[in-house]
Amino acid sequence: MSDTPRAGARVPKLRTWHWPELLFIAPFLILYVTFLLFPMAWGFWMSFNYYDLFAGFSEYIGLENYQQLFSDQIYRRAVINTFLFVAITVPPLVVLGLLIALVLNRQTWWSAVLRTLFFGSTVLSVTIVTLIWRGVYLPQKGLLDNFLNAVGIGGIGILQDPNLALIGIAITTVWWGIGLPMVLFLAALQQVPGEIYEAAKLDNASPWQTLWSITIPSIWRTVVLVIIIQIIAHFQVFGQINLMTGGGPNNSTRSMVQFIYESGFRQWTAGFASAAAQVLFVIMVIAAGLQFWASRRKQEF
Amino acid sequence: MSRIDLVSINKKFGSYEAIADLSLAIDAGEFVVFLGPSGCGKTTLLRMIAGLEAVTEGEIHIGDRRVEHLPPGQRGVAMVFQSYALYPHMTVAQNMAFGLRNIGTGKSVIDAKIMEAARILQLEALLDRKPGQLSGGQRQRVAIGRAIVKSPEVFLFDEPLSNLDAMLRARTRVEIARLHQTLGATMVFVTHDQIEAMTMAQKIVVMSNGKIEQVGAPLDIYRRPATRFVASFVGVPAMNFLDVSSTETVDGKLHVKVGETVVPTGVAAAGLSEPLTLGIRPEALRVDPAGSIEARVDVVERLGEKTIIHAILPGGQSVVGEDSDTSTLNFGDQVCFSVDSGRTHIFDAAGRGHHAEVTP
Amino acid sequence: MAAVGKSVGMPLGERLALIAVILLAVLWLLPLMWVTAVSLKNNTELVVNPGAVFTAPYTIQNYIDLTKTSALGTWFRNSLIVSLSHTVLVLIVSCLAGYGFARIEFPGRNAVFIFSLVGLAIPGQAIIVPLHSFFNAFDMHNTYAALIIPGIATPFGIFLMTAYFRAIPAEIEEAARLDNASRFKIFWTIALPLAVPAMATLGIFTFLGTWNDYLWPLISATRPEMYTLTVGLAATQTNIDQSEGLGYLMAQSVFAGLPMLILYIFFQKYVVRAVAGAAIR
């Protein structure tokens, strides 16, 4: 202890951090910039270029990719399909998810079993889900047509019909994804304090009134959040479509992400695909902003 | 055991000055309590001694060493936190061993120290438990044990009793006081509870707004509060403060007029000028049929050994006085108080205290 | 007013809802049962009469064929290697950075943290084209590295771990500093053990997501021996409509789905918490 500074001498400040401690965040920052931000920026740049991935040739062409994109009939169809898909997928997911959660929000063995069943499909990969459902949808041989034949309607070959294929994919998607809205609603329902229900009983509220004036308002924030989460998720639909219909028949199921995939990795027009990716990015940023807003908002009764 | 010297300490959080030019000397082996309301800077001061908070200006000496640039582990201090801050995933023994293992202490030495601390604190049966399996009082003792095994030069306590219930708090006060006698170490204890300060401290440092109001022995603080702040903060029920409307000097002592009544005080009149405030502790304002201060009884609190009378003066001001345990007063009764002039206080415009009692 | 008590049994509305949910459960179960049944049928019998699914005889021949001919084993191993490595790396990177953002008071910390969260808004699909070109430039496609590396630096992981480390009382860490523990020692022996629940959430969510990922392996792994399970299974079902081996195909899907379902049933509580926690952020 002989090297202790004397009174009045200048001493270094007590350090709250040291340079080597930045090693904690360095790996993340390096990987983050290299594999997320840089590709994002490069993609942005690509969208203003003509890229020939095979020839290794590129040329700056300004907004031409975007002009071509917005005048592309198939792209327009893909945008419409995507919105349509969200519109027919999200409402049943939210409504059925809420219904299931309300019914299964109890401590009995059979509700636990049913919760396991409804969430179980969520852990399967998209390939397994589509394998199962392509089997179910097989013309004449599948479960669906078997059933329709049996009741006398006759097989429809749902995925082969341009008017029905998107609905078929939506049914598969609801079957696959119902678990998440269900568990989110269940979590929200368990947050509602039991005293509120006891107070409602003392006020002679009927079960129906209790549902609409107590339960739903109490979890309204979660309802909004689930709707936004589901919109974000299904806006990016790709796997089911690529595997079940490949975008057909007649482009009736082509989605925006599948359009990016096809133009990037089937036609190998990287610049054009990047332009389509930028459009998706803008929509996703808006949706993420909405989600941020919804999740930060105070619970309102 | 070491002495601590704080020299011209200044602490800023951004532009907010939490502590301004504070100096304090703590003797080796002394039990010092930092007392003050929340936000007065007492915990910040403790954390600066510990090294958890950097000083903006000034010097801290522990023993012969200047330490304000040293990290917490190298200052020879141990700290007991308000929340105990036990490592939740370690057993009691591991909690106590952690600090010793970090400085390379041999296993046999560690085991001996843990056994010694466990014996002092009666933790022998709990050594293999995790904090989650302990009661509040047991956790508190483990936190103290974790400090003891390090044989620190200085013990720092940051409101360690505030999470305990009233019974346990009283018992732990005694235990900590006994520990101080056993170990003879320097101890600095932060609290907002004046009972803890009065019962445990050899020296109380009363703080307010980042400044020291008074440093003194507990009875000194109580009987001769240096400022009106100290007088109001220490003592339950709190001291009565009555505005003085005029004064006269009788035999060198100040007689003050409060409302329509003249109250003789034992305070020397020399050097005092209005405006002044009269301070009387409740125990110096006794119910007395012959007393000169008339009031109307508002609330009566019967404590058993005595009775606290809350009364309202003709001017509308509330005062608190005492009556014997056999008091028959009730709400609305007229009552007279007499003042023990030997225990009166006068506060001047700057809030400085002047006292009838000379030395305790 | 009216009857007091007598609230025996369920009200009508609740009973209807219960029936609806039970019907839904049957609908949810049907495809799984049908697939299982098909996988246990003789392929030629199915071609002749699709309705034969519902009647005996059943056989495990498809599963026996599976073990002999299918590349499922290779793909399964690839998926396991990729998912486990990716998950471990995500945990390491996220824990380190999460702790750094939560506890090290370096200047500009908040700005860097916000900069790191901006990536939350970038969907994976939006960067696949440049990411593909990137790995192409280093001739790294059809390697484990290409399948493992993208997405290791996940803003979601940082967000989750930072929030969790921040919620650990600072006093515990201060006690460790007074106990002479270095920064890394505090991280390793104090913070990390206390962050196990958050690591479980992040780990399960990441493993599930990687195991089930389809788009990136589809683009990066083009050689069958580098396929992951998802991509491999996808490749086998391209001709399902013409396929005469429907039972064999369905046996594949059962075989591939079973490990995940079994894991899920054993660790259901953690899986649900992980997925739900990740969704809400």
Side-chain angles (χ1 to χ4, degrees):
Chain A
M1 301 304 153
S2 55
D3 57 344
T4 183
R6 294 164 181 284
R10 290 189 63 85
V11 296
K13 288 261 179 246
L14 179 66
R15 300 283 300 268
T16 54
W17 67 285
H18 303 85
W19 284 106
E21 289 169 354
L22 292 187
L23 287 174
F24 277 102
I25 58 164
F28 166 74
L29 282 181
I30 292 167
L31 290 165
Y32 175 64
V33 171
T34 315
F35 294 102
L36 201 63
L37 292 191
F38 169 69
M40 191 65 225
W42 193 13
F44 186 65
W45 169 246
M46 272 184 172
S47 71
F48 300 106
N49 284 271
Y50 174 78
Y51 264 84
D52 188 323
L53 285 176
F54 284 120
F57 164 82
S58 72
E59 181 193 358
Y60 182 79
I61 53 168
L63 291 171
E64 215 172 282
N65 282 327
Y66 290 93
Q67 286 162 355
Q68 197 191 334
L69 187 69
F70 293 131
S71 58
D72 188 322
Q73 290 300 325
I74 298 178
Y75 184 66
R76 283 189 196 174
R77 190 69 213 264
V79 174
I80 292 169
N81 285 339
T82 307
F83 277 90
L84 211 57
F85 179 77
V86 169
I88 61 176
T89 310
V90 174
L93 276 170
V94 173
V95 172
L96 290 182
L98 185 56
L99 172 74
I100 295 171
L102 284 170
V103 171
L104 299 187
N105 185 28
R106 58 184 88 208
Q107 305 289 330
T108 56
W109 66 267
W110 57 266
S111 64
V113 168
L114 291 185
R115 286 197 298 265
T116 307
L117 169 68
F118 283 117
F119 193 84
S121 52
T122 303
V123 304
L124 296 175
S125 75
V126 66
T127 352
I128 292 170
V129 171
T130 54
L131 195 49
I132 293 171
W133 280 86
R134 285 182 77 182
V136 171
Y137 287 158
L138 269 183
Q140 303 315 318
K141 285 187 277 184
L143 177 64
L144 180 64
D145 280 7
N146 265 321
F147 172 75
L148 294 176
N149 280 327
V151 297
I153 298 174
I156 52 175
I158 192 166
L159 293 180
Q160 282 67 34
D161 185 334
N163 295 318
L164 297 177
L166 200 63
I167 294 173
I169 294 173
I171 292 171
T172 302
T173 306
V174 172
W175 182 86
W176 186 28
I178 195 73
L180 182 59
M182 177 192 77
V183 296
L184 293 179
F185 285 133
L186 277 169
L189 286 172
Q190 272 149 24
Q191 298 292 315
V192 184
E195 288 98 0
I196 296 188
Y197 290 108
E198 281 159 16
K201 254 183 202 156
L202 291 173
D203 283 345
N204 282 311
S206 72
W208 193 247
Q209 285 171 319
T210 308
L211 175 68
W212 283 106
S213 47
I214 310 263
T215 308
I216 303 286
S218 301
I219 62 168
W220 187 244
R221 200 176 81 104
T222 305
V223 175
V224 174
L225 206 59
V226 167
I227 291 173
I228 295 172
I229 289 170
Q230 293 300 324
I231 290 176
I232 292 177
H234 297 298
F235 221 91
Q236 307 178 49
V237 59
F238 169 69
Q240 305 97 294
I241 288 174
N242 200 49
L243 287 161
M244 293 177 83
T245 63
N250 197 16
N251 292 317
S252 63
T253 58
R254 194 172 306 280
S255 74
M256 289 171 74
V257 171
Q258 210 211 353
F259 186 90
I260 298 171
Y261 169 73
E262 295 264 323
S263 45
F265 303 100
R266 288 291 152 94
Q267 280 106 45
W268 299 101
T269 48
F272 185 61
S274 291
Q278 302 311 309
V279 175
L280 179 78
F281 173 63
V282 169
I283 295 174
M284 286 300 107
V285 167
I286 293 169
L290 270 179
Q291 185 185 2
F292 186 78
W293 167 78
S295 60
R296 295 297 179 280
R297 219 165 44 121
K298 283 227 165 90
Q299 180 87 48
E300 286 164 22
F301 283 93
Chain B
M1 104 181 170
S2 295
R3 59 177 290 113
I4 304 173
D5 289 284
L6 306 177
V7 185
S8 303
I9 299 287
N10 190 298
K11 176 65 185 177
K12 286 185 176 138
F13 292 106
S15 59
Y16 169 71
E17 192 165 55
I19 288 176
D21 194 29
L22 182 150
S23 295
L24 178 69
I26 296 169
D27 290 332
E30 199 169 29
F31 196 120
V32 175
V33 171
F34 294 173
L35 176 67
S38 57
C40 72
K42 59 191 189 297
T43 293
T44 303
L45 194 59
L46 189 80
R47 288 168 58 82
M48 286 193 291
I49 298 172
L52 298 172
E53 209 74 74
V55 299
T56 310
E57 301 277 348
E59 299 175 10
I60 299 174
H61 301 257
I62 296 177
D64 308 329
R65 295 195 298 153
R66 203 172 144 194
V67 297
E68 76 267 14
H69 60 293
L70 296 178
Q74 294 174 26
R75 295 190 180 195
V77 302
M79 184 155 165
V80 177
F81 292 86
Q82 182 172 10
S83 64
Y84 317 141
L86 300 177
Y87 311 124
H89 55 299
M90 297 184 192
T91 64
V92 169
Q94 288 167 336
N95 259 280
M96 292 199 271
F98 187 69
L100 296 173
R101 285 212 317 264
N102 287 338
I103 53 172
T105 311
K107 188 171 183 317
S108 57
V109 180
I110 293 179
D111 287 346
K113 289 205 172 201
I114 289 176
M115 288 320 293
E116 169 72 6
R119 189 186 56 73
I120 296 175
L121 296 164
Q122 292 151 25
L123 289 170
E124 288 105 326
L126 306 175
L127 285 176
D128 293 324
R129 301 250 189 108
K130 296 231 172 116
Q133 301 163 296
L134 302 178
S135 69
Q138 290 168 333
R139 281 181 220 182
Q140 156 67 254
R141 295 215 298 280
V142 176
I144 294 173
R146 194 168 63 177
I148 291 176
V149 291
K150 295 200 285 184
S151 318
E153 297 174 54
V154 176
F155 284 82
L156 305 174
F157 296 89
D158 184 12
E159 309 215 19
L161 306 184
S162 54
N163 288 338
L164 300 178
D165 65 49
M167 292 278 276
L168 205 50
R169 200 179 304 179
R171 220 170 62 204
T172 314
R173 278 203 320 252
V174 177
E175 277 179 23
I176 292 178
R178 186 179 298 134
L179 195 67
H180 178 241
Q181 284 163 11
T182 315
L183 302 174
T186 312
M187 292 189 174
V188 183
F189 189 104
V190 162
T191 184
H192 62 269
D193 183 327
Q194 51 162 316
I195 308 277
E196 288 172 19
M198 295 296 288
T199 52
M200 290 188 291
Q202 291 169 322
K203 184 157 93 187
I204 295 179
V205 178
V206 184
M207 292 181 67
S208 158
N209 288 325
K211 288 201 250 333
I212 292 179
E213 294 276 336
Q214 185 173 6
V215 178
L219 284 183
D220 200 23
I221 300 272
Y222 187 80
R223 289 183 181 156
R224 296 175 53 81
T227 64
R228 186 171 161 168
F229 172 83
V230 176
S232 64
F233 192 75
V234 177
V236 180
M239 185 185 279
N240 298 296
F241 295 101
L242 300 171
D243 291 337
V244 171
S245 55
S246 63
T247 63
E248 53 185 320
T249 307
V250 178
D251 297 336
K253 304 291 187 187
L254 201 64
H255 288 210
V256 298
K257 193 171 182 193
V258 176
E260 296 305 310
T261 320
V262 172
V263 179
T265 76
V267 180
L272 286 177
S273 63
E274 295 176 46
L276 298 172
T277 305
L278 171 66
I280 312 169
R281 290 209 182 273
E283 65 265 32
L285 188 68
R286 297 201 59 89
V287 172
D288 178 358
S292 58
I293 298 178
E294 293 182 7
R296 186 169 46 79
V297 174
D298 185 20
V299 176
V300 178
E301 293 179 293
R302 296 177 206 282
L303 299 186
E305 84 275 19
K306 64 186 174 188
T307 307
I308 306 286
I309 309 292
H310 298 251
I312 297 171
L313 296 177
Q317 199 183 355
S318 296
V319 291
V320 181
E322 274 187 17
D323 196 2
S324 67
D325 57 339
T326 55
S327 175
T328 57
L329 288 167
N330 277 307
F331 172 75
D333 290 352
Q334 285 297 315
V335 65
C336 290
F337 292 105
S338 67
V339 175
D340 179 352
S341 60
R343 298 174 65 183
T344 51
H345 312 267
I346 292 289
F347 298 93
D348 60 24
R352 272 190 300 276
H354 307 266
H355 312 288
E357 285 179 277
V358 185
T359 37
Chain C
M1 246 195 72
V4 183
K6 287 252 175 175
S7 60
V8 189
M10 287 184 198
L12 183 67
E14 215 174 318
R15 206 173 299 181
L16 284 177
L18 180 57
I19 291 168
V21 167
I22 289 172
L23 279 177
L24 274 177
V26 172
L27 278 178
W28 250 249
L29 207 52
L30 261 182
L32 294 176
M33 291 170 63
W34 182 80
V35 163
T36 314
V38 169
S39 75
L40 293 170
K41 289 300 288 188
N42 178 290
N43 282 307
T44 30
E45 195 187 346
L46 280 175
V47 174
V48 178
N49 174 20
V53 174
F54 305 105
T55 51
Y58 292 104
T59 165
I60 57 162
Q61 189 57 44
N62 289 320
Y63 290 92
I64 296 171
D65 294 347
L66 205 64
T67 55
K68 287 183 194 147
T69 57
S70 172
L72 235 47
T74 311
W75 301 336
F76 190 89
R77 203 193 61 203
N78 287 344
S79 274
L80 209 57
I81 291 171
V82 169
S83 302
L84 281 178
S85 319
H86 183 82
T87 303
V88 168
L89 287 169
V90 163
L91 283 175
I92 293 173
V93 168
S94 301
C95 286
L96 282 171
Y99 180 81
F101 283 124
R103 285 287 188 258
I104 296 165
E105 296 168 24
F106 59 91
R109 174 173 66 164
N110 284 338
V112 178
F113 185 59
I114 289 167
F115 169 77
S116 304
L117 293 190
V118 168
L120 277 175
I122 301 179
Q125 288 93 332
I127 59 166
I128 46 162
V129 177
L131 209 54
H132 177 269
S133 301
F134 188 90
F135 279 93
N136 214 29
F138 295 97
D139 201 16
M140 278 175 71
H141 286 300
N142 287 305
T143 64
Y144 285 131
L147 292 174
I148 291 168
I149 293 173
I152 287 177
T154 153
F156 165 66
I158 304 307
F159 180 82
L160 186 80
M161 294 315 300
T162 303
Y164 202 86
F165 282 124
R166 271 187 192 158
I168 296 174
E171 288 192 338
I172 291 180
E173 191 157 315
E174 289 171 349
R177 284 165 67 192
L178 282 155
D179 271 348
N180 261 307
S182 69
R183 186 71 89 169
F184 187 79
K185 179 132 198 175
I186 293 174
F187 168 72
W188 189 249
T189 59
I190 307 286
L192 220 47
L194 296 179
V196 166
M199 288 163 69
T201 296
L202 181 60
I204 291 171
F205 179 75
T206 305
F207 184 83
L208 210 61
T210 320
W211 183 270
N212 289 342
D213 190 20
Y214 171 57
L215 181 55
W216 178 246
L218 175 69
I219 292 164
S220 182
T222 52
R223 290 214 304 267
E225 69 269 24
M226 284 308 295
Y227 283 173
T228 59
L229 199 54
T230 47
V231 180
L233 269 186
T236 63
Q237 61 174 287
T238 41
N239 293 320
I240 188 172
D241 300 352
Q242 288 81 42
S243 171
E244 300 193 342
L246 189 59
Y248 179 77
L249 268 182
M250 291 302 143
Q252 277 199 331
S253 78
V254 171
F255 188 78
L258 221 47
M260 220 43 171
L261 280 177
I262 290 171
L263 272 182
Y264 158 66
I265 286 167
F266 272 104
F267 299 103
Q268 188 179 0
K269 200 173 88 187
Y270 302 95
V271 173
V272 169
R273 194 190 296 155
V275 175
I280 297 179
R281 306 224 236 274

